[in-house]
Amino acid sequence: MMLVDDKKANVLANFESQCFLDAWTKEQIESEFQNNPFFHAWMTKEGYAFVWEAYEQAELVRIGILPTYRKQGYAHRLLIECMVHAKQAGCETMTLEVRVSNIPAIRLYEMCGFIKSHCSKHHYQDGEDAWIMICES
């Protein structure tokens, strides 16, 4: 896993479009790099993760594994590495939002120590709810 900068915005946007229907654009990713000092982007050949690390709190903003590499443990490894880095950076908790219908992701997060904190109603543009999950180090 490598920490990447805005020079990889094109690649990250390509990964996003392969992983999500509501993919972030290259411009949105560049804006995060340029305007958000807490933004970190991690990348492997199999996928990527966006994390905000702010003081004692980290948030997993996006994590995506390319379709070819899914169900092979890459998301688990990438998430664990992000969690380790956040802890080394002084973060005591990590949060995330996940669609209530995304059972495979919820199982992954629970396997990594996340618990459901509460449900955010109509969280997504299509009206679906989200679980807010948290993991304390």
Side-chain angles (χ1 to χ4, degrees), residues 2-14 26 29-30 33 41 43:
M2 81 176 156
L3 185 63
V4 296
D5 59 22
D6 62 342
K7 293 175 184 70
K8 293 290 187 182
N10 273 333
V11 176
L12 292 166
N14 179 299
K26 175 183 173 251
I29 295 167
E30 287 174 335
F33 278 116
M43 193 170 75

Short mmCIF file of all heavy atoms in Angstrom, two decimals, residues 2-14 26 29-30 33 41 43:
data_model
loop_
_atom_site.label_atom_id
_atom_site.label_comp_id
_atom_site.label_asym_id
_atom_site.label_seq_id
_atom_site.Cartn_x
_atom_site.Cartn_y
_atom_site.Cartn_z
N MET A 2 0.57 2.17 -0.87
CA MET A 2 1.36 3.39 -0.88
C MET A 2 0.46 4.61 -0.76
O MET A 2 -0.65 4.65 -1.28
CB MET A 2 2.23 3.46 -2.13
CG MET A 2 1.57 3.92 -3.37
SD MET A 2 2.80 4.02 -4.68
CE MET A 2 1.70 3.84 -6.07
N LEU A 3 1.00 5.57 -0.02
CA LEU A 3 0.34 6.87 0.11
C LEU A 3 0.59 7.60 -1.20
O LEU A 3 1.72 7.65 -1.68
CB LEU A 3 0.94 7.63 1.28
CG LEU A 3 0.33 8.96 1.65
CD1 LEU A 3 -1.12 8.79 2.08
CD2 LEU A 3 1.13 9.60 2.78
N VAL A 4 -0.47 8.14 -1.80
CA VAL A 4 -0.32 8.82 -3.08
C VAL A 4 -0.73 10.28 -2.97
O VAL A 4 -1.40 10.68 -2.02
CB VAL A 4 -1.13 8.11 -4.21
CG1 VAL A 4 -0.58 6.71 -4.45
CG2 VAL A 4 -2.60 8.06 -3.89
N ASP A 5 -0.31 11.07 -3.97
CA ASP A 5 -0.64 12.49 -3.97
C ASP A 5 -1.51 12.81 -5.18
O ASP A 5 -1.97 11.91 -5.90
CB ASP A 5 0.63 13.34 -3.94
CG ASP A 5 1.55 13.07 -5.12
OD1 ASP A 5 1.09 12.57 -6.17
OD2 ASP A 5 2.75 13.38 -5.01
N ASP A 6 -1.70 14.11 -5.42
CA ASP A 6 -2.62 14.54 -6.47
C ASP A 6 -2.19 14.13 -7.88
O ASP A 6 -2.99 14.15 -8.80
CB ASP A 6 -2.88 16.04 -6.40
CG ASP A 6 -1.62 16.86 -6.61
OD1 ASP A 6 -0.50 16.33 -6.48
OD2 ASP A 6 -1.77 18.06 -6.89
N LYS A 7 -0.95 13.71 -8.05
CA LYS A 7 -0.50 13.24 -9.37
C LYS A 7 -1.21 11.95 -9.77
O LYS A 7 -1.21 11.58 -10.94
CB LYS A 7 1.02 13.05 -9.36
CG LYS A 7 1.79 14.35 -9.23
CD LYS A 7 3.27 14.10 -9.10
CE LYS A 7 4.06 15.36 -8.87
NZ LYS A 7 3.85 15.96 -7.55
N LYS A 8 -1.80 11.27 -8.82
CA LYS A 8 -2.53 10.02 -9.09
C LYS A 8 -4.04 10.23 -9.18
O LYS A 8 -4.80 9.27 -9.20
CB LYS A 8 -2.23 8.99 -7.98
CG LYS A 8 -0.80 8.50 -7.97
CD LYS A 8 -0.50 7.61 -9.16
CE LYS A 8 0.88 7.00 -9.02
NZ LYS A 8 1.22 6.17 -10.17
N ALA A 9 -4.48 11.48 -9.25
CA ALA A 9 -5.92 11.76 -9.28
C ALA A 9 -6.62 11.07 -10.45
O ALA A 9 -7.73 10.56 -10.29
CB ALA A 9 -6.17 13.26 -9.31
N ASN A 10 -5.99 11.02 -11.62
CA ASN A 10 -6.59 10.34 -12.77
C ASN A 10 -6.80 8.86 -12.49
O ASN A 10 -7.85 8.30 -12.79
CB ASN A 10 -5.71 10.49 -14.02
CG ASN A 10 -6.01 11.74 -14.79
OD1 ASN A 10 -7.12 12.26 -14.75
ND2 ASN A 10 -5.01 12.24 -15.50
N VAL A 11 -5.78 8.22 -11.94
CA VAL A 11 -5.86 6.79 -11.64
C VAL A 11 -6.93 6.55 -10.57
O VAL A 11 -7.74 5.63 -10.70
CB VAL A 11 -4.49 6.24 -11.17
CG1 VAL A 11 -4.59 4.78 -10.76
CG2 VAL A 11 -3.44 6.43 -12.25
N LEU A 12 -6.93 7.37 -9.54
CA LEU A 12 -7.93 7.21 -8.48
C LEU A 12 -9.34 7.42 -9.01
O LEU A 12 -10.26 6.67 -8.64
CB LEU A 12 -7.62 8.18 -7.33
CG LEU A 12 -6.35 7.87 -6.54
CD1 LEU A 12 -5.96 9.05 -5.67
CD2 LEU A 12 -6.51 6.60 -5.71
N ALA A 13 -9.53 8.38 -9.89
CA ALA A 13 -10.85 8.62 -10.48
C ALA A 13 -11.27 7.42 -11.33
O ALA A 13 -12.45 7.03 -11.33
CB ALA A 13 -10.86 9.90 -11.31
N ASN A 14 -10.32 6.82 -12.02
CA ASN A 14 -10.62 5.62 -12.80
C ASN A 14 -11.04 4.47 -11.88
O ASN A 14 -12.02 3.78 -12.15
CB ASN A 14 -9.39 5.22 -13.64
CG ASN A 14 -9.61 3.99 -14.46
OD1 ASN A 14 -9.88 2.91 -13.93
ND2 ASN A 14 -9.50 4.12 -15.77
N LYS A 26 -12.36 13.24 -11.00
CA LYS A 26 -10.96 13.65 -10.87
C LYS A 26 -10.89 15.01 -10.17
O LYS A 26 -10.05 15.23 -9.29
CB LYS A 26 -10.31 13.72 -12.24
CG LYS A 26 -8.90 14.25 -12.23
CD LYS A 26 -8.36 14.34 -13.67
CE LYS A 26 -7.03 15.02 -13.69
NZ LYS A 26 -7.05 16.34 -14.26
N ILE A 29 -11.49 14.69 -6.43
CA ILE A 29 -10.32 14.11 -5.78
C ILE A 29 -9.21 15.16 -5.68
O ILE A 29 -8.58 15.32 -4.62
CB ILE A 29 -9.86 12.85 -6.52
CG1 ILE A 29 -10.93 11.76 -6.41
CG2 ILE A 29 -8.52 12.35 -5.97
CD1 ILE A 29 -10.75 10.58 -7.36
N GLU A 30 -8.98 15.89 -6.76
CA GLU A 30 -7.97 16.95 -6.73
C GLU A 30 -8.31 18.00 -5.67
O GLU A 30 -7.42 18.49 -4.96
CB GLU A 30 -7.86 17.61 -8.10
CG GLU A 30 -7.16 16.74 -9.12
CD GLU A 30 -7.17 17.32 -10.52
OE1 GLU A 30 -8.08 18.13 -10.84
OE2 GLU A 30 -6.28 16.97 -11.30
N PHE A 33 -7.22 16.78 -2.27
CA PHE A 33 -5.78 16.93 -2.10
C PHE A 33 -5.39 18.39 -1.84
O PHE A 33 -4.55 18.68 -1.00
CB PHE A 33 -5.03 16.44 -3.34
CG PHE A 33 -4.83 14.95 -3.41
CD1 PHE A 33 -5.43 14.20 -4.41
CD2 PHE A 33 -4.05 14.28 -2.48
CE1 PHE A 33 -5.25 12.83 -4.50
CE2 PHE A 33 -3.86 12.91 -2.55
CZ PHE A 33 -4.46 12.18 -3.56
N ALA A 41 -4.80 9.52 0.69
CA ALA A 41 -5.23 8.54 -0.31
C ALA A 41 -4.20 7.42 -0.36
O ALA A 41 -2.99 7.68 -0.50
CB ALA A 41 -5.37 9.19 -1.69
N MET A 43 -3.23 3.59 -2.11
CA MET A 43 -3.52 2.84 -3.33
C MET A 43 -2.65 1.59 -3.42
O MET A 43 -1.50 1.59 -3.00
CB MET A 43 -3.25 3.74 -4.54
CG MET A 43 -3.81 3.21 -5.83
SD MET A 43 -3.72 4.43 -7.17
CE MET A 43 -1.99 4.39 -7.54
#
